[in-house]
Amino acid sequence: MLSRTVQKNLFKRSNAVSSVRFISAFSEIPLAPPDKILGIAEAYNKDSNPQKINLGVGAYRDDTGRPIIFPSVKKAEEKLLTAETEKEYTGIIGNKNFQNIIKNFIFNNSGKDVNGEKLIKDGRIVSSQTISGTGSLRVIADFLNRFYNTKHILVPKPTWANHIAVFNDAGITSEFYSYYDTSVNGLDFENLKSSLQNAQEGSIVLLHACCHNPTGMDLTAEQWDEVLAIVQEKSFYPLVDMAYQGFASGDPYKDISLIRRLNELVVAGNIPSYALCQSFAKNMGLYGERTGSISIVTESQEASTRIESQLKKLIRPMYSSPPIHGSKIVEQIFADESLFQSWLSDLNSVVGRLNSIRTKFYEKLDKTNYNWEHLNKQRGMFVYTGLTKEQVIELREKYSVYATEDGRFSISGINESNVDYLADAVNKVIAK
Ligand code: LMR
């Protein structure tokens, strides 16, 4: 409903053809708050303290604090530069080669998942290139809103700060299921199960494949089995978000056990369909190239044909077709075994640095008044410190340490030169 003043202004404008007087159509728009994650960088950039530290966004930095281009990606780009002959549009859902890479790499574990292989052979996977992970989430959210009967999603508490906004903007209401217990800094598994058991039947359920964002705390294989039993019992629709494939173990193939288990359940006829959102933003460092995908595992080849046609119908008026530079890099890397192996080793060394700086940070923290053990159990780009909002604000205001207010630290911002300063600041804030 437009407010009275806005209605009046619009009316005045349409009747003011002769007496031209500019009246802003947007005079009543309230100021929006900065983004909870991306807004951190804006504040950090304005800070003149030379010791400032940015622990906000989940984007990799090397030990000198700089972003990197993976050497394998650089080589792929060099090859592209000489081989590329056109910049034509790709298809609405990307090209077949990219889609097949996604299917074979993730669902078939490059030839090692018999169930995934069967799903591909039976034409039961529809893949579409998307505008990175957020784009894939938005596409699947719009798709589910259009075609799935329950417009309700269960998300872990806590979850990535942008998840709820993506779903809500697409008309899907969200509700938390228990995930993490901040009083003990650990997984809240019993409540996780009971909250799912008590949730509305047939809901969509969001599952983080690995390196849960923001907590970095993942389920074990046995715990996933228990959760998937509830998913079946309650006829939930699983929507898997996998933004950090490879960051849990250093090996992208080892981090897809949830996908393998879901494939098995689908082939056995216990789960009819599920969807996966993924991106190469983190594990190939293709952040700004916006390269990701959505895949829907369907009930039949015939369903796949219909679903694919609807994905095209949905994407075309939204952004027409995805960007091509990032997807071409991915294609180059997967087309060349030696480049592919270099990529695996680049990824492994990125994860190695994160793990060693995590350990170093842990070692420097004062354990007399605070149990920091949870840091050693968390995986991926983040530590979920357990610091309160007030403590995070104090870190920012007194020490120029910038992190999200939920106490998440992106550890890629920590390095040999600032780890002492950071640990010291955290110790002082905790000791107060
Ligand atoms: C993050 O959680 O920091 C990343 O996924 C980046 C983003 O877009 O929020």
Side-chain angles (χ1 to χ4, degrees):
M1 227 350 220
L2 293 176
S3 77
R4 282 207 155 169
T5 330
V6 172
Q7 280 175 352
K8 227 166 80 194
N9 285 349
L10 288 174
F11 179 75
K12 270 193 211 157
R13 200 157 62 147
S14 62
N15 286 282
V17 186
S18 51
S19 61
V20 185
R21 198 175 133 233
F22 179 73
I23 295 160
S24 167
F26 303 120
S27 57
E28 299 223 331
I29 288 184
L31 185 70
D35 184 83
K36 285 194 179 126
I37 295 174
L38 304 182
I40 304 274
E42 291 167 26
Y44 168 84
N45 289 338
K46 286 187 198 143
D47 191 328
S48 58
N49 181 351
Q51 287 187 294
K52 65 184 178 177
I53 305 178
N54 185 359
L55 306 175
V57 71
Y60 185 73
R61 308 276 178 266
D62 66 10
D63 199 46
T64 67
R66 288 191 198 92
I68 63 160
I69 298 178
F70 283 25
S72 52
V73 166
K74 199 75 193 155
K75 278 201 198 101
E77 281 187 312
E78 278 158 16
K79 284 180 90 175
L80 255 186
L81 204 63
T82 42
E84 205 174 36
T85 53
E86 42 92 6
K87 294 278 187 195
E88 282 282 305
Y89 300 120
T90 184
I92 299 172
I93 57 169
N95 74 36
K96 273 266 163 303
N97 189 34
F98 183 85
Q99 292 157 16
N100 288 338
I101 286 170
I102 297 297
K103 289 180 196 171
N104 192 45
F105 173 55
I106 297 172
F107 290 92
N108 187 17
N109 209 340
S110 289
K112 287 191 256 12
D113 183 354
V114 280
N115 294 304
E117 191 174 4
K118 179 162 170 48
L119 291 170
I120 296 169
K121 263 206 198 113
D122 293 349
R124 290 182 63 186
I125 306 181
V126 176
S127 293
S128 163
Q129 192 198 325
T130 53
I131 304 179
S132 205
T134 310
S136 71
L137 285 161
R138 183 56 194 255
V139 167
I140 194 65
D142 278 318
F143 178 86
L144 290 167
N145 184 30
R146 208 169 270 191
F147 299 107
Y148 190 65
N149 45 16
T150 314
K151 283 121 191 47
H152 185 63
I153 189 161
L154 309 168
V155 300
K157 186 176 170 79
T159 195
W160 177 47
N162 204 22
H163 271 144
I164 293 171
V166 169
F167 298 122
N168 288 358
D169 280 6
I172 308 256
T173 57
S174 56
E175 180 191 335
F176 283 121
Y177 64 85
S178 301
Y179 190 85
Y180 193 82
D181 183 351
T182 42
S183 66
V184 294
N185 286 323
L187 208 63
D188 191 8
F189 194 59
E190 289 312 310
N191 284 325
L192 185 160
K193 286 188 292 180
S194 62
S195 58
L196 285 179
Q197 251 140 3
N198 293 329
Q200 186 187 328
E201 197 137 324
S203 300
I204 305 156
V205 62
L206 179 75
L207 307 171
H208 294 223
C210 59
C211 306
H212 177 271
N213 185 359
T215 69
M217 202 70 100
D218 289 335
L219 271 59
T220 62
E222 293 72 31
Q223 287 172 328
W224 273 126
D225 275 344
E226 287 188 59
V227 167
L228 292 174
I230 303 172
V231 166
Q232 291 166 68
E233 201 182 296
K234 300 283 296 188
S235 305
F236 290 149
Y237 187 86
L239 171 56
V240 181
D241 188 3
M242 184 163 68
Y244 291 88
Q245 184 190 3
F247 280 81
S249 66
D251 177 350
Y253 291 117
K254 286 199 185 136
D255 288 3
I256 50 172
S257 52
L258 176 63
I259 314 288
R260 298 188 70 159
R261 187 71 186 109
L262 281 165
N263 290 346
E264 195 180 334
L265 291 167
V266 172
V267 168
N270 297 332
I271 288 184
S273 168
Y274 76 95
L276 168 77
C277 297
Q278 71 81 230
S279 89
F280 291 103
K282 326 280 177 173
N283 65 12
M284 236 179 236
L286 294 180
Y287 305 93
E289 298 293 357
R290 314 305 291 141
T291 309
S293 69
I294 166 81
S295 294
I296 303 176
V297 176
T298 73
E299 291 173 44
S300 65
Q301 179 148 34
E302 187 266 332
S304 294
T305 310
R306 285 182 283 116
I307 287 172
E308 186 176 293
S309 72
Q310 289 295 347
L311 276 178
K312 288 180 184 162
K313 185 161 180 268
L314 193 148
I315 291 170
R316 172 68 171 140
M318 205 192 286
Y319 56 86
S320 198
S321 59
I324 54 169
H325 189 67
S327 59
K328 283 187 182 178
I329 292 169
V330 173
E331 288 179 60
Q332 280 285 342
I333 287 179
F334 278 81
D336 177 332
E337 185 55 27
S338 82
L339 262 189
F340 182 73
Q341 293 303 329
S342 319
W343 168 56
L344 292 180
S345 106
D346 291 346
L347 174 58
N348 194 268
S349 54
V350 157
V351 176
R353 187 188 97 71
L354 292 176
N355 289 341
S356 69
I357 205 70
R358 175 192 295 275
T359 309
K360 190 149 279 175
F361 178 51
Y362 169 79
E363 281 164 1
K364 290 181 186 286
L365 289 166
D366 182 353
K367 281 104 188 162
T368 37
N369 294 318
Y370 198 83
N371 180 358
W372 285 104
E373 222 21 73
H374 53 291
L375 258 57
N376 297 323
K377 297 185 193 134
Q378 298 170 349
R379 286 288 156 267
M381 193 88 91
F382 307 114
V383 295
Y384 200 58
T385 58
L387 295 183
T388 62
K389 182 175 169 181
E390 291 68 33
Q391 289 170 324
V392 174
I393 293 173
E394 190 179 335
L395 274 177
R396 184 172 70 219
E397 291 179 349
K398 272 205 188 144
Y399 303 98
S400 299
V401 170
Y402 289 79
T404 50
E405 289 186 353
D406 58 359
R408 185 191 86 165
F409 286 7
S410 176
I411 50 173
S412 70
I414 314 178
N415 53 55
E416 293 292 340
S417 336
N418 65 18
V419 64
D420 288 306
Y421 174 82
L422 175 66
D424 191 49
V426 172
N427 289 337
K428 283 187 184 133
V429 164
I430 293 274
K432 262 188 69 186

